[in-house]
Amino acid sequence: MIDFTFTEEQEMFRKAAREFAETRVAPKVPEMEETGKASEEVVKAMVEAEMTALTIPEEYGGLGLGYTARLIAVEEVSKVSVATGMMLQVFALGIEPILQFGSEEQKKRFLPALAKGERLAGTAVTEATGGSDPTGIRSTYKKDGDDYILNGRKCFITNSHIGDTMTILARDEEDPKAFSTFIMEKGMEGFKATHEENKVGMRGCNTGELAYENCRVPKENLLGAEGKGIRVALGAIGEVGRGGMVGCALGLQAACLEASIKFANERILYGKPISRLQTIQNKLADMKIDLEAGFLLGYRAAAMQDKGERCSNEFAAAKYFTTEAAQRAAKMAVDIHGGYGCMEEYAVSRYLRDSFVLGPSAGTSDIMKVIVARWALS
Ligand SMILES: Cc1cc2nc3c(=O)[nH]c(=O)nc-3n(C[C@H](O)[C@H](O)[C@H](O)COP(=O)(O)OP(=O)(O)OC[C@H]3O[C@@H](n4cnc5c(N)ncnc54)[C@H](O)[C@@H]3O)c2cc1C
C-alpha cells in the first residue's frame, strides 16, 4: 500500500521551516531584491537554524534528517524567497559528493564544519565551454608529486562568493578523456571568487565565477577515484541538485497560487470578486493541478532517495515538470493581477522573474527531457 502521509515529525518540521522563512527571511526580501546579493543576515539565520546540517548524518555532527525533510525545508523557504531556497538547496548539493564519495578521513575532516555552517558548500561544474555538456569543460589538473595543480575557471556557480568548500570538476591535462573532482577550499593560494552575476531573478542568491590559477591541491582533497569525477559531480547534481530545484519550484508554485487566490478574492469587478469569473477559476484550477502533480512527483522521488534507491530519473521528471509549472503559474499569477501584476509592489512580478531562473539551474528542461526519454526507452 502507498502511504501518502507525512510523519508527525515531518509536519512539525514543515511548520518550523515555514515559521523560519516568515520571520527570518521575509523581512530581508526587499533588500535582497534591491542589491541582488545574498543577505549576510539570512545566511547567518540559516546557519543558526541548522539548515546547513539537514542531510549530514549525526555521526558527523549533522541532523541526519534526510532528503524528504530537506525538500520540505527548501519548499517552505522558497515560498517566501526562491533565492534563499536556492542557496539552501546548494548547501546540500555541495555536501553530497563528500557524503557519497568521501573517504572516512575526508568525511571527518570536512563534514562537521559544514554541518555547523562554519564553512558553506557548493558544487562547480559549469564553464563557458561546458554547461549541458560537462565534458566540454576546459579546467585542468596535473599531478605534481603528492599534489595536483589546477587551472581554470567556472561560471554561474551558486554560492561562489559565500561558499568556502567547493567540489570542482576538472579534466586531466594529459588525458582529456579523464575527469576528476576535487574539494577546493577558499584560502588555497590561487583560488578565488571573481565576477559576481547580476541576475534578473533569484536576486538574493549569490551566483558567480570561481578562478584557480596554478592552484596546488593536496591529494587528500581528491574526491572519489581519479578519472571518475564525472560520476562524483553529476551524481550529486542528478539527485540532490535537481531535488533541490524541485523544492524551489514547488515553493514558487505555491506562492503564485496563494497570491492569486488572495488577489482574486479581493479584486471587485462587476460588483463581485473576480474569483467568481470562470476564466480566473480556470487559471486557479490549472495552478492547483500542477502543484498537486508536482508535489507527488517530487516527494515520491525524495522518498525513494531516503530509502537509498536510485532516483535520478524520477528527479529529472519532477524537475522538468515543476520548473515548467512554476513558469506557467507565475505567468498566470501576473495575468490574474491585471495591471497590478506589472508593478514591483506586487510579489508576482518577482515570481515571474524568479521562475525563468529555475529553468537552467541544475540542467535545462531540454536536458531533463533527454534523461526522461532515455528512461522511457530503457
Ligand atoms: C541561477 C543559476 C545557478 C547555477 N548554479 C550552478 C552551480 O551551482 N554549479 C554549476 O556547476 N552550474 C550552475 N549553473 C549552471 C547551469 O547548470 C547551466 O546553466 C545549465 O547546465 C545549462 O548550461 P549552459 O548555461 O551552458 O547552456 P547550454 O548548455 O549552452 O544550453 C543552451 C541551449 O541548448 C540546449 N541544449 C543543450 N544540449 C542539448 C541537448 N543535448 N538536447 C537538446 N537541447 C540541448 C539547452 O537546453 C539550452 O536551451 C547555474 C545556472 C544558473 C542560471
Side-chain angles (χ1 to χ4, degrees):
M1 190 172 129
I2 300 174
D3 184 359
F4 287 110
T5 50
F6 288 108
T7 63
E8 207 177 308
E9 288 77 30
Q10 285 167 338
E11 292 290 7
M12 276 163 59
F13 182 73
R14 183 179 287 283
K15 213 169 142 231
R18 183 171 306 167
E19 205 177 298
F20 167 81
E22 283 167 1
T23 56
R24 307 293 303 270
V25 182
K28 290 281 154 196
V29 169
E31 179 194 312
M32 290 192 277
E33 281 302 296
E34 184 69 29
T35 63
K37 289 182 189 295
S39 152
E40 274 179 35
E41 281 169 58
V42 168
V43 174
K44 198 164 155 251
M46 282 199 279
V47 169
E48 279 169 16
E50 297 184 280
M51 293 274 188
T52 46
L54 300 176
T55 57
I56 299 179
E58 284 171 293
E59 59 185 302
Y60 302 111
L63 295 173
L65 291 178
Y67 297 94
T68 301
R70 181 252 185 171
L71 181 53
I72 291 172
V74 176
E75 185 197 346
E76 287 303 325
V77 168
S78 298
K79 283 181 188 168
V80 165
S81 161
V82 186
T84 308
M86 179 73 173
M87 275 196 290
L88 172 59
Q89 88 96 344
V90 172
F91 293 151
L93 168 62
I95 287 163
E96 189 68 15
I98 305 178
L99 280 179
Q100 276 187 25
F101 293 92
S103 63
E104 196 50 36
E105 189 274 331
Q106 285 173 326
K107 287 181 185 169
K108 284 193 180 130
R109 196 166 129 220
F110 293 107
L111 294 177
L114 290 166
K116 281 198 206 110
E118 290 166 358
R119 299 186 76 79
L120 301 173
T123 283
V125 172
T126 307
E127 299 183 9
T129 53
S132 302
D133 173 16
T135 63
I137 62 166
R138 295 221 176 120
S139 284
T140 58
Y141 64 89
K142 76 168 178 214
K143 206 117 198 222
D144 185 44
D146 269 353
D147 302 332
Y148 292 91
I149 308 293
L150 269 82
N151 277 292
R153 58 176 55 230
K154 299 285 177 188
C155 66
F156 300 160
I157 304 307
T158 307
N159 297 347
S160 55
H161 290 59
I162 64 163
D164 314 275
T165 303
M166 313 295 285
T167 45
I168 293 206
L169 184 72
R171 73 190 318 149
D172 190 336
E173 200 176 286
E174 270 139 39
D175 176 5
K177 289 208 175 92
F179 295 84
S180 295
T181 302
F182 299 88
I183 305 170
M184 294 186 60
E185 296 172 279
K186 292 274 176 65
M188 284 176 163
E189 208 180 323
F191 179 42
K192 57 179 191 257
T194 50
H195 171 69
E196 192 169 359
E197 301 293 347
N198 184 14
K199 302 188 298 302
V200 293
M202 272 196 216
R203 288 182 56 74
C205 101
N206 156 227
T207 314
E209 288 184 2
L210 293 170
Y212 25 98
E213 209 181 323
N214 293 323
C215 182
R216 186 169 285 278
V217 180
K219 74 170 186 321
E220 290 74 26
N221 285 38
L222 172 71
L223 197 50
E226 190 180 331
K228 304 283 180 209
I230 292 266
R231 211 175 129 231
V232 177
L234 297 196
I237 291 174
E239 297 190 345
V240 177
R242 286 173 198 149
M245 294 317 300
V246 169
C248 292
L250 286 175
L252 184 56
Q253 283 179 258
C256 289
L257 181 57
E258 194 184 315
S260 298
I261 291 170
K262 182 170 185 294
F263 185 87
N265 280 332
E266 287 170 0
R267 177 73 172 151
I268 308 292
L269 289 180
Y270 320 107
K272 57 187 184 206
I274 60 167
S275 58
R276 306 262 282 274
L277 298 173
Q278 192 64 59
T279 48
I280 300 289
Q281 288 187 7
N282 281 344
K283 289 189 175 73
L284 296 176
D286 283 342
M287 288 158 88
K288 178 75 177 156
I289 293 164
D290 271 354
L291 181 56
E292 292 291 325
F295 198 85
L296 291 176
L297 281 173
Y299 279 95
R300 178 235 189 169
M304 291 172 69
Q305 201 171 13
D306 275 334
K307 282 196 251 162
E309 293 171 14
R310 212 179 150 231
C311 51
S312 53
N313 289 331
E314 286 77 3
F315 269 129
K319 200 264 174 186
Y320 171 81
F321 185 83
T322 56
T323 56
E324 291 285 326
Q327 286 185 19
R328 290 194 290 274
K331 163 81 166 59
M332 284 188 274
V334 168
D335 287 345
I336 288 172
H337 281 66
Y340 300 95
C342 309
M343 305 302 157
E344 286 288 348
E345 299 93 285
Y346 285 81
V348 288
S349 62
R350 164 166 62 95
Y351 298 161
L352 189 62
R353 287 186 285 103
D354 286 350
S355 74
F356 283 96
V357 187
L358 291 172
S361 312
T364 66
S365 285
D366 291 324
I367 296 298
M368 294 313 104
K369 278 195 165 175
V370 170
I371 297 167
V372 174
R374 203 185 298 142
W375 180 25
L377 290 165
S378 65

